[in-house]
Amino acid sequence: MYLTRMRPEQVREAVQNNLPLIMGSGVVEYHGPHLPIGTDAMIASHICAEVEKRIPCVVAPPLAFGPTMSWAAGPEDGEIDFDPAPFEAYAKELLKRLRMIGFKQIYIVQHHQGMDGLQALSLRHAAAELTREEALSWGHSWGWQDPSSLPNPNIFSTIQVAGIDTYLRYPADNPGPMPIGHAGKGETQLIQHIDPETVRIEALDTIEQSRLPEWLLDAKEADADEARFWLDLCVEGWIRHITEAGVGGEG
């Protein structure tokens, strides 16, 4: 189910049935001359869409803009470096409103600069601030109470932020790691599988080989079939985590 396509009674029913909410998070930035500028958000959204096909959940629109620090290019190439302060404030307000709707478990599939990058840290901080505000509304010494008596027994895991491959389990015959590098083989083959019409490999030839940054050197090694293999493992990992955790579970 997709949040923006749901009618009010469907939203209420989803909340009543304790369906988790999942949403992607990426940025709009330069990914070489051969990939779309929305690559990160496209990959995160694909994971959410595939999870929705296999388990009951609600998919919210992605957080498509975030801080890039103009690392790869400037605005003339479509890069949008979103200041982290308003980004975090927006993310916090959005998460707050989703909680007000009644969603007891929110998962953010984050794909940009890994889990130690500015965007992931901003999202985690926004989630932590909401957790603190909710807990403070209960007064002090609530840790002495029976958790089942609290308004939100699983407050510390209500909002979870993780990468596309955080819950991936590597098969015995392929210990990884999964190739994900920015605009290189990893992301190129992921987009080749997700939306091949947006990829133009030959555009890499517009850059002199001697000028190619290290992160673009292996882009032509991309293999859409290999991407399908890795994406399936990522999706399976997310489904396993959400299913094993349950609504509000620790996971």
Side-chain angles (χ1 to χ4, degrees):
M1 305 179 73
Y2 286 79
L3 184 63
T4 53
R5 301 179 64 182
M6 296 167 69
R7 297 183 302 278
E9 77 274 11
Q10 291 177 302
V11 175
R12 290 191 293 269
E13 183 179 1
V15 169
Q16 184 177 7
N17 291 333
N18 291 333
L19 295 190
L21 181 138
I22 186 170
M23 62 190 302
S25 178
V27 297
V28 175
E29 69 173 340
Y30 178 81
H31 279 78
H34 63 304
L35 291 179
I37 58 177
T39 286
D40 289 353
M42 291 167 66
I43 293 171
S45 294
H46 176 80
I47 298 295
C48 295
E50 291 300 308
V51 169
E52 189 272 342
K53 291 176 182 178
R54 294 171 54 182
I55 61 173
C57 65
V58 175
V59 179
L63 288 160
F65 298 93
T68 72
M69 297 188 289
S70 298
W71 175 80
E76 68 276 5
D77 286 315
E79 177 135 350
I80 298 177
D81 178 27
F82 213 91
D83 188 288
F87 169 75
E88 184 173 319
Y90 174 77
K92 179 181 175 181
E93 187 68 15
L94 173 59
L95 292 169
K96 179 180 179 179
R97 300 300 164 175
L98 292 172
R99 288 282 292 129
M100 290 174 67
I101 288 175
F103 290 107
K104 295 181 176 65
Q105 189 68 49
I106 298 173
Y107 297 97
I108 301 179
V109 183
Q110 199 283 138
H111 184 64
H112 175 61
Q113 294 181 339
M115 292 312 299
D116 293 322
L118 185 55
Q119 176 153 298
L121 294 176
S122 295
L123 289 169
R124 283 176 162 170
H125 189 251
E129 282 290 317
L130 280 179
T131 297
R132 178 176 182 273
E133 290 174 7
E134 183 175 350
L136 286 176
S137 70
W138 302 345
H140 62 79
S141 303
W142 52 271
W144 290 77
Q145 299 179 42
D146 179 351
S148 64
S149 69
L150 296 172
N152 182 3
N154 300 288
I155 188 170
F156 292 114
S157 60
T158 295
I159 302 171
Q160 298 184 28
V161 183
I164 64 170
D165 62 333
T166 296
Y167 308 114
L168 182 158
R169 290 180 182 172
Y170 290 99
D173 61 346
N174 192 336
M178 173 184 176
I180 302 182
H182 177 85
K185 173 185 175 180
E187 288 190 333
T188 297
Q189 63 188 21
L190 292 177
I191 297 298
Q192 280 180 329
H193 174 68
I194 293 169
D195 195 347
E197 293 185 1
T198 65
V199 182
R200 184 169 167 256
I201 287 292
E202 60 270 22
L204 287 164
D205 295 330
T206 62
I207 303 176
E208 294 181 13
Q209 185 69 24
S210 61
R211 294 186 58 247
L212 278 177
E214 183 178 358
W215 40 276
L216 284 178
L217 291 177
D218 64 351
K220 288 187 177 182
E221 299 175 17
D223 182 339
D225 289 333
E226 180 181 338
R228 182 184 299 111
F229 168 80
W230 289 115
L231 284 169
D232 286 346
L233 288 179
C234 288
V235 171
E236 289 171 5
W238 269 98
I239 290 173
R240 181 172 52 250
H241 176 72
I242 294 173
T243 301
E244 291 178 353
V247 174
E250 289 294 331

